[in-house]
Amino acid sequence: MQLTGSEILVECLKEQGVDTVFGYPGGAILNIYDALYKHSGEIKHILTSHEQGAAHAADGYARATGKVGVCMATSGPGATNLVTGIATAYMDSVPMVAITANVTLPLLGKDSFQEVDIAGVTMPITKHGYIVKNVEILADTIRKAFHIARSGRPGPVLIDITKDVTAAACEYTPMTIQQGERVTRYTREELMLVAEMIHKAKKPYIYLGGGAIISEASAEVAEFAELIDAPVCDTLMGKGAFDGKSERYTGMIGMHGTKTSNLGVSECDLLVALGARFSDRVTGNPKKFAENARIIQLDVDAAEINKNIRVDASLVGDLKKTLTELNACLSKQEHPEWMAHITELKEKYPLKYDDENLSCPYIMQEIDRVTNGEAIITTDVGQHQMWAAQYYHYTKPRTFLSSGGLGTMGYGLGACIGAQIGQPDKVCINIAGDGCFRMNMNELATASRYNIPIIQVVINNQVLGMVRQWQTLFYGKRYSQTVLKDKVDFCKVAEGLGCTAIRVTKKEEVAPAIEKAIALKAPVMIECMIPEDDKVFPMVPAGAPISEVFDGDDLKRQS
């Protein structure tokens, strides 16, 4: 079967089960878009307002579904506009294939119009990158790219195709794609050593990361927690991997984690890290992190073992398979005194906020109540992100999508669109601060163009809230370039971009606004006005031990 490179690309996408791509056309990629036009009944294309929005949408689609997300852009600035989204996916281990087209082969390396070495640009932020200069290898390259993106520790892969390859023809042979097996790289002796360490522990704690979601290991994690009778904390990326309403759950760990999690991990005698990488936002001072504990790390990526924290034992492999084998080696443990102590900490140090005024914690609790905890929540980055993590109960995986590693302002709206496309039966809500919303609010036009029923909640305090919080606490209240008060009217902007807009200024207006937005089944922006000096607590100062966690009450006692 003789096909052009563009037709081969489309056929390979169909082979991989791709039903949606997100992108923006241009000169170098026109042949590919022409082929997509001819297959529009098989692969849906979502035209975003900006290429960065396409990358974030592919990311959100991947996180919400577990499939590989696909985005496309033309050469030069189109390709470079994908970079932030690719880096976001790389830092959070999101399976993505980014497809770009470049100038023709004779023009490569000559500073041609809209020429950029995008494979070189993205080399540090992709699992692998390809430049395809021969149509004969195109199909195999695409298949390899998808395999790399989804296998092991997932991540983004770039395929850059010269324009002449998209037009050239060659023989195409269809293939049936085989999913890879879950692999492990540890010995029976290493497995039994870990089981023995667990059996000897008196005060075990489970520290849960995003790997538990990626490997679909939620059931195995729940069984493990019951077997070893331990409390469970999670990272931002691990939200939903363990039932947030469980009595064992103690909340997030780290810089804005709960006092219970931070103090409990500091007291435990065994810390079991499941699909977590000991990031600086979790550990604080690494020399004093869990210093009373022996540490076990289970991770698919051998490079993460002993990278940030020295561990006493490790098992390298897919977490679902590893936990299945480990659980089979364990007998039921009981630690009543330890669990009672953790319960006391939870009762002594609950999350709390000033409930007199409209606030983001209250808004998140109302969203939780109205949606019965069944929504997919995406976020941007900052105070609202932490409040969304703290005050909504995530009981299922793939329901909290946020930029954890890169901390990308402007991520959430595109991701919410991608999540809604991937999970059309779910209520999808993006939580953004006013600073983040300014970054990519043009993607509301994408939502209105396709009538994608996302709900964009803007937490508007008219400042860059998280940066201002640091300026308040550590920079003598010198608010350098963090005040956003101007003449921008977000409701008018949203309406101008084709969406319904609702402004909320009182607590009693929150629930009706959410209910109305859900009922409309159309894109809605809800702007919520909150005080400029609301702060996220608890908090651990950067570089301090997590045992030094403090909250608003602690600050009042010190002043």
Side-chain angles (χ1 to χ4, degrees), residues 113-187:
F113 178 67
Q114 291 193 331
E115 180 197 356
V116 164
D117 176 12
I118 192 62
V121 169
T122 59
M123 186 179 293
I125 54 168
T126 52
K127 283 187 74 176
H128 200 75
Y130 295 97
I131 307 175
V132 183
K133 303 175 184 178
N134 182 347
V135 71
E136 299 283 348
I137 66 168
L138 179 59
D140 284 344
T141 301
I142 295 166
R143 291 160 183 156
K144 288 176 185 176
F146 274 85
H147 175 72
I148 292 170
R150 66 164 68 96
S151 64
R153 180 179 183 170
V157 177
L158 177 95
I159 309 172
D160 192 34
I161 312 168
T162 61
K163 186 173 183 179
D164 42 356
V165 167
T166 68
C170 74
E171 189 70 20
Y172 165 75
T173 303
M175 281 187 61
T176 301
I177 304 304
Q178 300 293 328
Q179 297 293 333
E181 293 184 7
R182 297 181 183 272
V183 296
T184 56
R185 294 170 55 188
Y186 51 81
T187 64

Side-chain angles (χ1 to χ4, degrees), residues 52 65 84 98 116 204 223 260 263 265-266 313 351 360 463 479 500 533:
Q52 185 180 339
T65 64
T84 298
V116 164
E223 181 184 358
T260 301
L263 296 177
V265 166
S266 300
L351 286 173
C360 190
V463 295
Y479 300 123
T500 300
D533 277 318

Side-chain angles (χ1 to χ4, degrees), residues 25-319:
I29 203 170
L30 272 178
N31 291 328
I32 292 173
Y33 270 82
D34 192 51
L36 280 172
Y37 180 85
K38 297 170 185 176
H39 293 268
S40 58
E42 298 162 286
I43 297 177
K44 177 166 53 179
H45 180 279
I46 300 297
L47 176 64
T48 55
S49 299
H50 189 283
E51 291 91 350
Q52 185 180 339
H56 292 327
D59 175 306
Y61 176 95
R63 296 195 206 210
T65 64
K67 302 176 183 178
V68 178
V70 180
C71 57
M72 290 183 175
T74 197
S75 63
T80 57
N81 281 344
L82 294 176
V83 169
T84 298
I86 293 171
T88 301
Y90 181 76
M91 290 290 283
D92 290 343
S93 304
V94 178
M96 177 195 292
V97 171
I99 300 165
T100 56
N102 216 321
V103 298
T104 59
L105 188 56
L107 293 178
L108 278 182
K110 297 183 178 180
D111 295 330
S112 304
F113 178 67
Q114 291 193 331
E115 180 197 356
V116 164
D117 176 12
I118 192 62
V121 169
T122 59
M123 186 179 293
I125 54 168
T126 52
K127 283 187 74 176
H128 200 75
Y130 295 97
I131 307 175
V132 183
K133 303 175 184 178
N134 182 347
V135 71
E136 299 283 348
I137 66 168
L138 179 59
D140 284 344
T141 301
I142 295 166
R143 291 160 183 156
K144 288 176 185 176
F146 274 85
H147 175 72
I148 292 170
R150 66 164 68 96
S151 64
R153 180 179 183 170
V157 177
L158 177 95
I159 309 172
D160 192 34
I161 312 168
T162 61
K163 186 173 183 179
D164 42 356
V165 167
T166 68
C170 74
E171 189 70 20
Y172 165 75
T173 303
M175 281 187 61
T176 301
I177 304 304
Q178 300 293 328
Q179 297 293 333
E181 293 184 7
R182 297 181 183 272
V183 296
T184 56
R185 294 170 55 188
Y186 51 81
T187 64
R188 179 71 180 175
E189 289 74 20
E190 289 172 322
L191 184 68
M192 296 314 295
L193 171 62
V194 167
E196 182 182 0
M197 290 174 64
I198 291 170
H199 282 144
K200 288 181 177 178
K202 304 298 182 185
K203 297 187 290 183
Y205 220 115
I206 297 170
Y207 153 47
L208 193 61
I213 294 174
I214 294 168
S215 63
E216 301 174 331
S218 293
E220 290 75 17
V221 169
E223 181 184 358
F224 180 68
E226 290 298 319
L227 278 170
I228 74 170
D229 193 23
V232 179
C233 65
D234 58 17
T235 67
L236 195 69
M237 292 292 94
K239 290 283 169 193
F242 189 78
D243 186 352
K245 294 182 179 179
S246 167
E247 292 184 358
R248 295 189 181 279
Y249 181 66
T250 61
M252 196 162 59
I253 184 176
M255 180 173 283
H256 292 293
T258 63
K259 277 194 169 184
T260 301
S261 293
N262 286 332
L263 296 177
V265 166
S266 300
E267 295 176 20
C268 73
D269 67 359
L270 180 72
L271 182 64
V272 185
L274 304 178
R277 59 186 179 86
F278 298 98
S279 80
D280 59 300
R281 287 298 173 105
V282 165
T283 62
N285 184 339
K287 295 180 180 178
K288 296 186 177 181
F289 179 74
E291 56 186 342
N292 298 311
R294 301 184 78 188
I295 301 176
I296 298 170
Q297 186 174 7
L298 277 62
D299 204 281
V300 74
D301 187 356
E304 290 297 337
I305 307 299
N306 293 321
K307 186 176 84 174
N308 295 325
I309 296 290
R310 298 292 299 181
V311 300
D312 298 281
S314 62
L315 299 175
V316 177
D318 177 85
L319 188 61

